[in-house]
Amino acid sequence: MTELTPAKSVAGKVVAAVANNVYESAIEAKKNGEKIAWISSNFPQEIPTAFGLHCVYPESQAAAISAKGAGQTMCEHAENELGLSNDICAYARISQAYADLGKCPNGEREMPLPDLVLCCNNICDCMFKWYENLARTLNIPIVMIDVPFNNKFDVDDKRIKYIRGQFDQAIKQLEGILGQKFDEKKFEEVCKISSQVGEEWLKATKYLNYKPAPYKGFDLFNHMAVATMARGQKESLEAFKEFNAECEQFIKEHKSTFKGDEKHRIMFEGIACWPYLGVTYKTLKNMGVNVTSCVYGPSFAFTYKNLDEMAAAYASMPNATNLERATQLREELCQEGKVDGGLVHINRSCKMWSSFMPEMARRISRDLDIPVVMFDGDQSDPRNFSEEQYVTRVQGLVEIMDSNAKKGE
Amino acid sequence: MADIKELLEGFTEVADHPKAELDRHIAAGKKVIGVGPYYVLEELVYAAGAIPFGVWGRVGTASKAREYFPPFYCSICQMTLEMGLNHELDKLSGIMLTALCDTLRGASQNFRVGVTQVPMIFVTQPQNRATEAGRQYAIDSYTELKTTVGEACDTIIDDDKLAEAIKLYNNWRAAMRTFLAEAAKHPALVSVAQRAAVVDAGYYMDKAEHLKKVEALNELLAAQPASTDGFKKVVLSGVYYDIPALTQILDENHFAVVADDIAKESRALQLQVSEEGDPTVALAEAFCKAGNDSILFDENKGHVAHVADLYKESGADGVVLLLAKFCDPEEFDAPHVAKACKDAGAPFVQIEIDQSTESYEQARTQLETFADIIG
Ligand code: SF4
Ligand code: SF4
């Protein structure tokens, strides 16, 4: 194996700055009396961006809040003060708590309160219940785009027609709310940038396919904030280009932000456990395991030229597609990432994602003949994660990968 | 003519032994199609000459289903899958499952690949139902389903038959609404358990047969003087309550259900399908008009105000929210329902229920206390 030199990513900081800027400029805009939308991560943001509407993303905010240690406090506020069950998605709990409080306990990740909410259920139905609640408690309008779950492999015409029709409806609604006409030209521009950002993002994720990889897969968990929040912005394009150039440099120079020997490469499936990002990463790193496959690449890389193609792209979101397609997507990523095993997060928060995960894990393991282990956790509520169980499961996975590697020698 | 008691015993017999009812349909040479929650267009099945048979899980604990679902999923979906994996549903020629919540989305996939002996018929419905795009999606989806259900029943569903089925179902839903109103006026004659049994029997029996019996029961009840004396009048809200341990507690504490916002009951029975024009379009439009339900997207959250309105209109003494464990749609609405009830001055209690709960002692204590408060 090639000796790797540990490296620090400079471009990563540029990407992080873009994410930060989304919040900062929204805070500024609010101060200037401009309207703010809270928007779900896979809402076709090209539409509000074309209106020049400032959008902030409650999912990303909740992730940041929990990564900085305030997940539990916010969840408890939602449960004790707002009466929400602790069974519902922790992002939804944190976000509703934030809507109620208007601030974080220690300024973990502030963002302005919304004047409207934009919701798309292509990743889960939890989303529209959550946004219904936001709209009700804050007494603001909601724009909803419904993407019905697809039991078939391919997206059919009736879905595209339906989603396309809802785009028109959403545009009309926004024209009414914002008192402004939809600018087709601007929209085309935004679509162009979004597609380019999508391509650069996808390219960034593909550098993990190099063996050894030029960066640690966990870096993607941070960088995806930009792919989520700033898909339609030129700054994101520049930042990802810089990141990609750095990756190529690292590959040429045998450098990586993954410290240590990349003994094993795995798929990490599911959302990161934000409150335990350090522990979950270090456990893997200490055993020489890098994550080189995760679904976040294709999840935020949309390419299209018009509203019809955009409808088809948004209808194909990983969480809106059937078991076979969801599995195939992971298997392709596993093959590209040249993984020896899989680690699956059974996320207590995410009913949609976890609901057929055991079967998907079995299929991936069987089809690719690799060990796949599951652990119980939560993306944001620290009460639902056991470090002990996590470490044991990872150890178990590594043992099998070690023994497989020996057999293969 | 049978009296009230006999009729109710008949319904209870069916509700308690769905398997026997299923066997009867099969023995009569009928095809049977399972129907899960929510708003499944049973009329198609009926028009295909088959019997729609309700499958909303059952009381029990999941074990084989745990291979597919992690533990934090509602019991309706876990137990429906469990029934499939245990071969309890093998006599069905198919099962229609919707995907209106995250758990149902996953359930459709788990069932399709785990229970291959019972073909899963996927029912896709729009959530943006107030728009033309939503209406059209429902029509397109239901048009496809007409073929799929026909195939499962080895027949071509023709519009005349479908129109007849719609008429029957409209009459049946109207009769059921009358029954619920009559039961509300006669708690001494119809217990909570019996109310649930009449509803459940409707999910298992041939609708024409059930309709006849319900009409007979309605007539007999209407002839009796209305009285809720000695009962605590409540509005029940939630997905279901047909759990013997629970209805027993409600009956022992002399609760009378004077109105309900139960998904398996009044929410489902709200549909009224036009008997004019294209029957498939009529079915789609009826779904698009449905409302006041946690599972349906509603920018105004009409469901919340609806529960408080039921309290005010029915003259109830309080509201009991039976919160299905791990049910996202209900859990998101619950605090808002609680607040709306409080604002309407309604005494309110929230009780967690689950088909797999082994002990209802906590619920008993809560309901006893609530009975004291409103009594
Ligand atoms: S974590 Fe899962 S349930 Fe929560 S918002 Fe994301 S997709 Fe939806
Ligand atoms: S609505 Fe609730 S009870 Fe019904 S299937 Fe979905 S999660 Fe389960």
PDB file of all heavy atoms in Angstrom, chain A residues 40-41 59 88-92 122-127 130-131 271 319 347-354 379, chain B residues 102 328 332, ligand 1:
ATOM      1  N   SER A  40     -37.092  22.834   3.351  1.00  0.00           N
ATOM      2  CA  SER A  40     -36.594  21.471   3.584  1.00  0.00           C
ATOM      3  C   SER A  40     -35.486  21.162   2.573  1.00  0.00           C
ATOM      4  O   SER A  40     -35.466  21.701   1.468  1.00  0.00           O
ATOM      5  CB  SER A  40     -37.725  20.443   3.524  1.00  0.00           C
ATOM      6  OG  SER A  40     -38.469  20.561   2.356  1.00  0.00           O
ATOM      7  N   SER A  41     -34.569  20.274   2.977  1.00  0.00           N
ATOM      8  CA  SER A  41     -33.297  20.124   2.260  1.00  0.00           C
ATOM      9  C   SER A  41     -33.454  19.789   0.783  1.00  0.00           C
ATOM     10  O   SER A  41     -32.638  20.174  -0.037  1.00  0.00           O
ATOM     11  CB  SER A  41     -32.434  19.064   2.931  1.00  0.00           C
ATOM     12  OG  SER A  41     -33.103  17.825   2.879  1.00  0.00           O
ATOM     13  N   GLU A  59     -32.936  21.527   8.698  1.00  0.00           N
ATOM     14  CA  GLU A  59     -32.226  20.254   8.921  1.00  0.00           C
ATOM     15  C   GLU A  59     -30.744  20.502   9.164  1.00  0.00           C
ATOM     16  O   GLU A  59     -30.135  19.913  10.067  1.00  0.00           O
ATOM     17  CB  GLU A  59     -32.385  19.321   7.717  1.00  0.00           C
ATOM     18  CG  GLU A  59     -33.768  18.755   7.546  1.00  0.00           C
ATOM     19  CD  GLU A  59     -34.030  18.442   6.077  1.00  0.00           C
ATOM     20  OE1 GLU A  59     -33.617  17.370   5.626  1.00  0.00           O
ATOM     21  OE2 GLU A  59     -34.626  19.279   5.373  1.00  0.00           O
ATOM     22  N   ILE A  88     -40.582  11.432  17.741  1.00  0.00           N
ATOM     23  CA  ILE A  88     -40.489  12.030  16.409  1.00  0.00           C
ATOM     24  C   ILE A  88     -39.063  12.490  16.117  1.00  0.00           C
ATOM     25  O   ILE A  88     -38.264  12.715  17.020  1.00  0.00           O
ATOM     26  CB  ILE A  88     -41.508  13.172  16.182  1.00  0.00           C
ATOM     27  CG1 ILE A  88     -41.224  14.351  17.089  1.00  0.00           C
ATOM     28  CG2 ILE A  88     -42.929  12.689  16.337  1.00  0.00           C
ATOM     29  CD1 ILE A  88     -42.116  15.537  16.786  1.00  0.00           C
ATOM     30  N   CYS A  89     -38.780  12.615  14.841  1.00  0.00           N
ATOM     31  CA  CYS A  89     -37.450  12.970  14.365  1.00  0.00           C
ATOM     32  C   CYS A  89     -36.839  14.123  15.179  1.00  0.00           C
ATOM     33  O   CYS A  89     -37.486  15.151  15.400  1.00  0.00           O
ATOM     34  CB  CYS A  89     -37.573  13.371  12.897  1.00  0.00           C
ATOM     35  SG  CYS A  89     -36.109  14.177  12.247  1.00  0.00           S
ATOM     36  N   ALA A  90     -35.597  13.939  15.608  1.00  0.00           N
ATOM     37  CA  ALA A  90     -34.959  14.945  16.462  1.00  0.00           C
ATOM     38  C   ALA A  90     -34.734  16.266  15.718  1.00  0.00           C
ATOM     39  O   ALA A  90     -34.756  17.325  16.340  1.00  0.00           O
ATOM     40  CB  ALA A  90     -33.638  14.404  17.003  1.00  0.00           C
ATOM     41  N   TYR A  91     -34.532  16.197  14.417  1.00  0.00           N
ATOM     42  CA  TYR A  91     -34.421  17.459  13.668  1.00  0.00           C
ATOM     43  C   TYR A  91     -35.722  18.254  13.829  1.00  0.00           C
ATOM     44  O   TYR A  91     -35.701  19.475  14.031  1.00  0.00           O
ATOM     45  CB  TYR A  91     -34.218  17.194  12.167  1.00  0.00           C
ATOM     46  CG  TYR A  91     -32.829  16.806  11.732  1.00  0.00           C
ATOM     47  CD1 TYR A  91     -32.573  16.503  10.391  1.00  0.00           C
ATOM     48  CD2 TYR A  91     -31.761  16.767  12.629  1.00  0.00           C
ATOM     49  CE1 TYR A  91     -31.293  16.155   9.967  1.00  0.00           C
ATOM     50  CE2 TYR A  91     -30.484  16.418  12.195  1.00  0.00           C
ATOM     51  CZ  TYR A  91     -30.262  16.102  10.860  1.00  0.00           C
ATOM     52  OH  TYR A  91     -29.007  15.754  10.434  1.00  0.00           O
ATOM     53  N   ALA A  92     -36.830  17.547  13.696  1.00  0.00           N
ATOM     54  CA  ALA A  92     -38.136  18.208  13.790  1.00  0.00           C
ATOM     55  C   ALA A  92     -38.351  18.754  15.198  1.00  0.00           C
ATOM     56  O   ALA A  92     -38.923  19.832  15.388  1.00  0.00           O
ATOM     57  CB  ALA A  92     -39.247  17.235  13.427  1.00  0.00           C
ATOM     58  N   ASN A 122     -40.130  14.726  -0.390  1.00  0.00           N
ATOM     59  CA  ASN A 122     -39.450  13.676  -1.163  1.00  0.00           C
ATOM     60  C   ASN A 122     -38.459  12.869  -0.317  1.00  0.00           C
ATOM     61  O   ASN A 122     -38.028  11.805  -0.728  1.00  0.00           O
ATOM     62  CB  ASN A 122     -38.756  14.240  -2.418  1.00  0.00           C
ATOM     63  CG  ASN A 122     -37.874  15.430  -2.128  1.00  0.00           C
ATOM     64  OD1 ASN A 122     -37.764  15.862  -0.985  1.00  0.00           O
ATOM     65  ND2 ASN A 122     -37.235  15.961  -3.148  1.00  0.00           N
ATOM     66  N   ILE A 123     -38.094  13.370   0.865  1.00  0.00           N
ATOM     67  CA  ILE A 123     -37.244  12.518   1.699  1.00  0.00           C
ATOM     68  C   ILE A 123     -38.003  11.884   2.848  1.00  0.00           C
ATOM     69  O   ILE A 123     -37.560  10.889   3.385  1.00  0.00           O
ATOM     70  CB  ILE A 123     -35.977  13.223   2.215  1.00  0.00           C
ATOM     71  CG1 ILE A 123     -36.322  14.470   2.991  1.00  0.00           C
ATOM     72  CG2 ILE A 123     -35.014  13.525   1.082  1.00  0.00           C
ATOM     73  CD1 ILE A 123     -35.141  14.988   3.777  1.00  0.00           C
ATOM     74  N   CYS A 124     -39.105  12.453   3.230  1.00  0.00           N
ATOM     75  CA  CYS A 124     -39.926  11.794   4.260  1.00  0.00           C
ATOM     76  C   CYS A 124     -41.247  12.534   4.415  1.00  0.00           C
ATOM     77  O   CYS A 124     -41.361  13.710   4.076  1.00  0.00           O
ATOM     78  CB  CYS A 124     -39.212  11.759   5.600  1.00  0.00           C
ATOM     79  SG  CYS A 124     -38.962  13.397   6.329  1.00  0.00           S
ATOM     80  N   ASP A 125     -42.231  11.831   4.975  1.00  0.00           N
ATOM     81  CA  ASP A 125     -43.519  12.464   5.242  1.00  0.00           C
ATOM     82  C   ASP A 125     -43.523  13.190   6.578  1.00  0.00           C
ATOM     83  O   ASP A 125     -44.391  14.028   6.840  1.00  0.00           O
ATOM     84  CB  ASP A 125     -44.642  11.410   5.220  1.00  0.00           C
ATOM     85  CG  ASP A 125     -45.076  11.103   3.795  1.00  0.00           C
ATOM     86  OD1 ASP A 125     -45.040  12.017   2.956  1.00  0.00           O
ATOM     87  OD2 ASP A 125     -45.438   9.945   3.525  1.00  0.00           O
ATOM     88  N   CYS A 126     -42.557  12.844   7.409  1.00  0.00           N
ATOM     89  CA  CYS A 126     -42.384  13.569   8.677  1.00  0.00           C
ATOM     90  C   CYS A 126     -42.301  15.059   8.379  1.00  0.00           C
ATOM     91  O   CYS A 126     -42.807  15.901   9.118  1.00  0.00           O
ATOM     92  CB  CYS A 126     -41.125  13.051   9.359  1.00  0.00           C
ATOM     93  SG  CYS A 126     -40.287  14.213  10.435  1.00  0.00           S
ATOM     94  N   MET A 127     -41.663  15.351   7.238  1.00  0.00           N
ATOM     95  CA  MET A 127     -41.410  16.724   6.852  1.00  0.00           C
ATOM     96  C   MET A 127     -42.683  17.574   6.809  1.00  0.00           C
ATOM     97  O   MET A 127     -42.718  18.689   7.314  1.00  0.00           O
ATOM     98  CB  MET A 127     -40.760  16.680   5.467  1.00  0.00           C
ATOM     99  CG  MET A 127     -39.978  17.872   5.107  1.00  0.00           C
ATOM    100  SD  MET A 127     -38.652  18.143   6.233  1.00  0.00           S
ATOM    101  CE  MET A 127     -37.320  17.214   5.512  1.00  0.00           C
ATOM    102  N   TRP A 130     -44.074  18.309  10.250  1.00  0.00           N
ATOM    103  CA  TRP A 130     -43.191  19.266  10.919  1.00  0.00           C
ATOM    104  C   TRP A 130     -43.462  20.681  10.398  1.00  0.00           C
ATOM    105  O   TRP A 130     -43.660  21.633  11.165  1.00  0.00           O
ATOM    106  CB  TRP A 130     -41.764  18.791  10.680  1.00  0.00           C
ATOM    107  CG  TRP A 130     -40.621  19.705  10.889  1.00  0.00           C
ATOM    108  CD1 TRP A 130     -40.608  20.939  11.471  1.00  0.00           C
ATOM    109  CD2 TRP A 130     -39.254  19.432  10.527  1.00  0.00           C
ATOM    110  NE1 TRP A 130     -39.325  21.442  11.484  1.00  0.00           N
ATOM    111  CE2 TRP A 130     -38.482  20.547  10.915  1.00  0.00           C
ATOM    112  CE3 TRP A 130     -38.613  18.352   9.916  1.00  0.00           C
ATOM    113  CZ2 TRP A 130     -37.103  20.610  10.706  1.00  0.00           C
ATOM    114  CZ3 TRP A 130     -37.245  18.418   9.711  1.00  0.00           C
ATOM    115  CH2 TRP A 130     -36.499  19.537  10.108  1.00  0.00           C
ATOM    116  N   TYR A 131     -43.536  20.826   9.073  1.00  0.00           N
ATOM    117  CA  TYR A 131     -43.738  22.158   8.492  1.00  0.00           C
ATOM    118  C   TYR A 131     -45.162  22.678   8.708  1.00  0.00           C
ATOM    119  O   TYR A 131     -45.372  23.880   8.852  1.00  0.00           O
ATOM    120  CB  TYR A 131     -43.329  22.159   7.008  1.00  0.00           C
ATOM    121  CG  TYR A 131     -41.825  22.336   6.852  1.00  0.00           C
ATOM    122  CD1 TYR A 131     -40.936  21.436   7.425  1.00  0.00           C
ATOM    123  CD2 TYR A 131     -41.293  23.427   6.173  1.00  0.00           C
ATOM    124  CE1 TYR A 131     -39.559  21.604   7.314  1.00  0.00           C
ATOM    125  CE2 TYR A 131     -39.912  23.594   6.052  1.00  0.00           C
ATOM    126  CZ  TYR A 131     -39.054  22.681   6.626  1.00  0.00           C
ATOM    127  OH  TYR A 131     -37.700  22.858   6.520  1.00  0.00           O
ATOM    128  N   ILE A 271     -27.627   8.898   8.332  1.00  0.00           N
ATOM    129  CA  ILE A 271     -27.136  10.218   8.740  1.00  0.00           C
ATOM    130  C   ILE A 271     -26.082  10.027   9.832  1.00  0.00           C
ATOM    131  O   ILE A 271     -26.139   9.063  10.588  1.00  0.00           O
ATOM    132  CB  ILE A 271     -28.315  11.074   9.260  1.00  0.00           C
ATOM    133  CG1 ILE A 271     -29.405  11.152   8.183  1.00  0.00           C
ATOM    134  CG2 ILE A 271     -27.858  12.465   9.690  1.00  0.00           C
ATOM    135  CD1 ILE A 271     -30.634  11.926   8.594  1.00  0.00           C
ATOM    136  N   ASN A 319     -34.769   8.618  -0.880  1.00  0.00           N
ATOM    137  CA  ASN A 319     -35.804   8.177   0.061  1.00  0.00           C
ATOM    138  C   ASN A 319     -37.187   8.047  -0.559  1.00  0.00           C
ATOM    139  O   ASN A 319     -38.123   7.612   0.098  1.00  0.00           O
ATOM    140  CB  ASN A 319     -35.896   9.144   1.249  1.00  0.00           C
ATOM    141  CG  ASN A 319     -34.925   8.766   2.342  1.00  0.00           C
ATOM    142  OD1 ASN A 319     -34.110   7.866   2.176  1.00  0.00           O
ATOM    143  ND2 ASN A 319     -35.006   9.453   3.457  1.00  0.00           N
ATOM    144  N   ASN A 347     -31.232   4.630  12.551  1.00  0.00           N
ATOM    145  CA  ASN A 347     -31.416   5.959  13.129  1.00  0.00           C
ATOM    146  C   ASN A 347     -32.798   6.077  13.767  1.00  0.00           C
ATOM    147  O   ASN A 347     -33.813   6.092  13.076  1.00  0.00           O
ATOM    148  CB  ASN A 347     -31.233   6.960  11.986  1.00  0.00           C
ATOM    149  CG  ASN A 347     -31.319   8.382  12.433  1.00  0.00           C
ATOM    150  OD1 ASN A 347     -31.698   8.684  13.552  1.00  0.00           O
ATOM    151  ND2 ASN A 347     -30.970   9.286  11.519  1.00  0.00           N
ATOM    152  N   ARG A 348     -32.795   6.177  15.063  1.00  0.00           N
ATOM    153  CA  ARG A 348     -34.045   6.224  15.841  1.00  0.00           C
ATOM    154  C   ARG A 348     -34.942   7.384  15.396  1.00  0.00           C
ATOM    155  O   ARG A 348     -36.158   7.329  15.514  1.00  0.00           O
ATOM    156  CB  ARG A 348     -33.645   6.355  17.314  1.00  0.00           C
ATOM    157  CG  ARG A 348     -34.727   6.406  18.315  1.00  0.00           C
ATOM    158  CD  ARG A 348     -35.409   5.055  18.414  1.00  0.00           C
ATOM    159  NE  ARG A 348     -36.519   5.142  19.346  1.00  0.00           N
ATOM    160  CZ  ARG A 348     -37.626   5.831  19.110  1.00  0.00           C
ATOM    161  NH1 ARG A 348     -37.779   6.474  17.986  1.00  0.00           N
ATOM    162  NH2 ARG A 348     -38.589   5.879  20.000  1.00  0.00           N
ATOM    163  N   SER A 349     -34.304   8.428  14.896  1.00  0.00           N
ATOM    164  CA  SER A 349     -35.072   9.602  14.474  1.00  0.00           C
ATOM    165  C   SER A 349     -35.770   9.396  13.147  1.00  0.00           C
ATOM    166  O   SER A 349     -36.803   9.990  12.897  1.00  0.00           O
ATOM    167  CB  SER A 349     -34.129  10.798  14.301  1.00  0.00           C
ATOM    168  OG  SER A 349     -34.127  11.595  15.447  1.00  0.00           O
ATOM    169  N   CYS A 350     -35.171   8.601  12.293  1.00  0.00           N
ATOM    170  CA  CYS A 350     -35.610   8.612  10.908  1.00  0.00           C
ATOM    171  C   CYS A 350     -36.390   7.364  10.533  1.00  0.00           C
ATOM    172  O   CYS A 350     -35.831   6.357  10.112  1.00  0.00           O
ATOM    173  CB  CYS A 350     -34.426   8.788   9.971  1.00  0.00           C
ATOM    174  SG  CYS A 350     -34.980   9.102   8.294  1.00  0.00           S
ATOM    175  N   LYS A 351     -37.713   7.478  10.650  1.00  0.00           N
ATOM    176  CA  LYS A 351     -38.556   6.309  10.363  1.00  0.00           C
ATOM    177  C   LYS A 351     -38.449   5.922   8.892  1.00  0.00           C
ATOM    178  O   LYS A 351     -38.399   4.749   8.549  1.00  0.00           O
ATOM    179  CB  LYS A 351     -40.000   6.621  10.716  1.00  0.00           C
ATOM    180  CG  LYS A 351     -40.191   6.812  12.207  1.00  0.00           C
ATOM    181  CD  LYS A 351     -41.473   6.185  12.679  1.00  0.00           C
ATOM    182  CE  LYS A 351     -41.563   6.233  14.180  1.00  0.00           C
ATOM    183  NZ  LYS A 351     -41.489   7.605  14.733  1.00  0.00           N
ATOM    184  N   MET A 352     -38.422   6.931   8.034  1.00  0.00           N
ATOM    185  CA  MET A 352     -38.378   6.625   6.612  1.00  0.00           C
ATOM    186  C   MET A 352     -37.109   5.845   6.268  1.00  0.00           C
ATOM    187  O   MET A 352     -37.151   4.778   5.671  1.00  0.00           O
ATOM    188  CB  MET A 352     -38.439   7.951   5.834  1.00  0.00           C
ATOM    189  CG  MET A 352     -38.331   7.800   4.326  1.00  0.00           C
ATOM    190  SD  MET A 352     -39.617   6.773   3.654  1.00  0.00           S
ATOM    191  CE  MET A 352     -38.709   5.493   2.829  1.00  0.00           C
ATOM    192  N   TRP A 353     -36.005   6.398   6.660  1.00  0.00           N
ATOM    193  CA  TRP A 353     -34.721   5.829   6.249  1.00  0.00           C
ATOM    194  C   TRP A 353     -34.472   4.450   6.861  1.00  0.00           C
ATOM    195  O   TRP A 353     -33.906   3.558   6.225  1.00  0.00           O
ATOM    196  CB  TRP A 353     -33.601   6.795   6.667  1.00  0.00           C
ATOM    197  CG  TRP A 353     -32.419   6.789   5.771  1.00  0.00           C
ATOM    198  CD1 TRP A 353     -31.923   5.725   5.078  1.00  0.00           C
ATOM    199  CD2 TRP A 353     -31.581   7.903   5.458  1.00  0.00           C
ATOM    200  NE1 TRP A 353     -30.826   6.116   4.357  1.00  0.00           N
ATOM    201  CE2 TRP A 353     -30.600   7.444   4.578  1.00  0.00           C
ATOM    202  CE3 TRP A 353     -31.564   9.249   5.856  1.00  0.00           C
ATOM    203  CZ2 TRP A 353     -29.587   8.278   4.080  1.00  0.00           C
ATOM    204  CZ3 TRP A 353     -30.573  10.072   5.362  1.00  0.00           C
ATOM    205  CH2 TRP A 353     -29.596   9.591   4.475  1.00  0.00           C
ATOM    206  N   SER A 354     -34.888   4.304   8.107  1.00  0.00           N
ATOM    207  CA  SER A 354     -34.579   3.034   8.793  1.00  0.00           C
ATOM    208  C   SER A 354     -35.586   1.934   8.484  1.00  0.00           C
ATOM    209  O   SER A 354     -35.356   0.782   8.817  1.00  0.00           O
ATOM    210  CB  SER A 354     -34.548   3.255  10.313  1.00  0.00           C
ATOM    211  OG  SER A 354     -33.589   4.236  10.652  1.00  0.00           O
ATOM    212  N   GLN A 379     -29.440  10.746  14.898  1.00  0.00           N
ATOM    213  CA  GLN A 379     -28.638  11.808  14.302  1.00  0.00           C
ATOM    214  C   GLN A 379     -28.428  12.982  15.250  1.00  0.00           C
ATOM    215  O   GLN A 379     -27.438  13.673  15.164  1.00  0.00           O
ATOM    216  CB  GLN A 379     -29.272  12.292  12.996  1.00  0.00           C
ATOM    217  CG  GLN A 379     -30.429  13.245  13.193  1.00  0.00           C
ATOM    218  CD  GLN A 379     -31.674  12.805  12.481  1.00  0.00           C
ATOM    219  OE1 GLN A 379     -31.770  11.655  12.066  1.00  0.00           O
ATOM    220  NE2 GLN A 379     -32.635  13.683  12.338  1.00  0.00           N
TER     221      GLN A 379
ATOM    222  N   ASP B 102     -44.508   7.728   6.693  1.00  0.00           N
ATOM    223  CA  ASP B 102     -43.199   7.093   6.509  1.00  0.00           C
ATOM    224  C   ASP B 102     -43.223   5.606   6.829  1.00  0.00           C
ATOM    225  O   ASP B 102     -42.573   4.801   6.163  1.00  0.00           O
ATOM    226  CB  ASP B 102     -42.160   7.791   7.403  1.00  0.00           C
ATOM    227  CG  ASP B 102     -41.830   9.177   6.885  1.00  0.00           C
ATOM    228  OD1 ASP B 102     -41.981   9.408   5.674  1.00  0.00           O
ATOM    229  OD2 ASP B 102     -41.420  10.033   7.696  1.00  0.00           O
ATOM    230  N   ASP B 328     -46.087   8.920  13.825  1.00  0.00           N
ATOM    231  CA  ASP B 328     -45.668  10.294  13.535  1.00  0.00           C
ATOM    232  C   ASP B 328     -46.836  11.267  13.307  1.00  0.00           C
ATOM    233  O   ASP B 328     -46.905  12.304  13.961  1.00  0.00           O
ATOM    234  CB  ASP B 328     -44.792  10.312  12.267  1.00  0.00           C
ATOM    235  CG  ASP B 328     -43.309  10.228  12.594  1.00  0.00           C
ATOM    236  OD1 ASP B 328     -42.967  10.051  13.776  1.00  0.00           O
ATOM    237  OD2 ASP B 328     -42.490  10.342  11.660  1.00  0.00           O
ATOM    238  N   PHE B 332     -47.293  14.438  15.861  1.00  0.00           N
ATOM    239  CA  PHE B 332     -47.082  15.841  15.488  1.00  0.00           C
ATOM    240  C   PHE B 332     -48.325  16.685  15.804  1.00  0.00           C
ATOM    241  O   PHE B 332     -48.207  17.858  16.153  1.00  0.00           O
ATOM    242  CB  PHE B 332     -46.756  15.960  13.994  1.00  0.00           C
ATOM    243  CG  PHE B 332     -45.296  15.821  13.678  1.00  0.00           C
ATOM    244  CD1 PHE B 332     -44.759  14.624  13.225  1.00  0.00           C
ATOM    245  CD2 PHE B 332     -44.435  16.902  13.840  1.00  0.00           C
ATOM    246  CE1 PHE B 332     -43.405  14.498  12.933  1.00  0.00           C
ATOM    247  CE2 PHE B 332     -43.081  16.791  13.548  1.00  0.00           C
ATOM    248  CZ  PHE B 332     -42.564  15.583  13.092  1.00  0.00           C
TER     249      PHE B 332
HETATM  250  S1  SF4 C   1     -33.943  12.607   9.570  1.00  0.00           S
HETATM  251 FE1  SF4 C   1     -35.411  11.355   8.454  1.00  0.00          FE
HETATM  252  S2  SF4 C   1     -37.384  11.860   9.405  1.00  0.00           S
HETATM  253 FE2  SF4 C   1     -35.960  13.477   9.974  1.00  0.00          FE
HETATM  254  S3  SF4 C   1     -36.210  15.047   8.425  1.00  0.00           S
HETATM  255 FE3  SF4 C   1     -34.540  13.729   7.730  1.00  0.00          FE
HETATM  256  S4  SF4 C   1     -35.482  12.200   6.415  1.00  0.00           S
HETATM  257 FE4  SF4 C   1     -37.097  13.162   7.614  1.00  0.00          FE
END
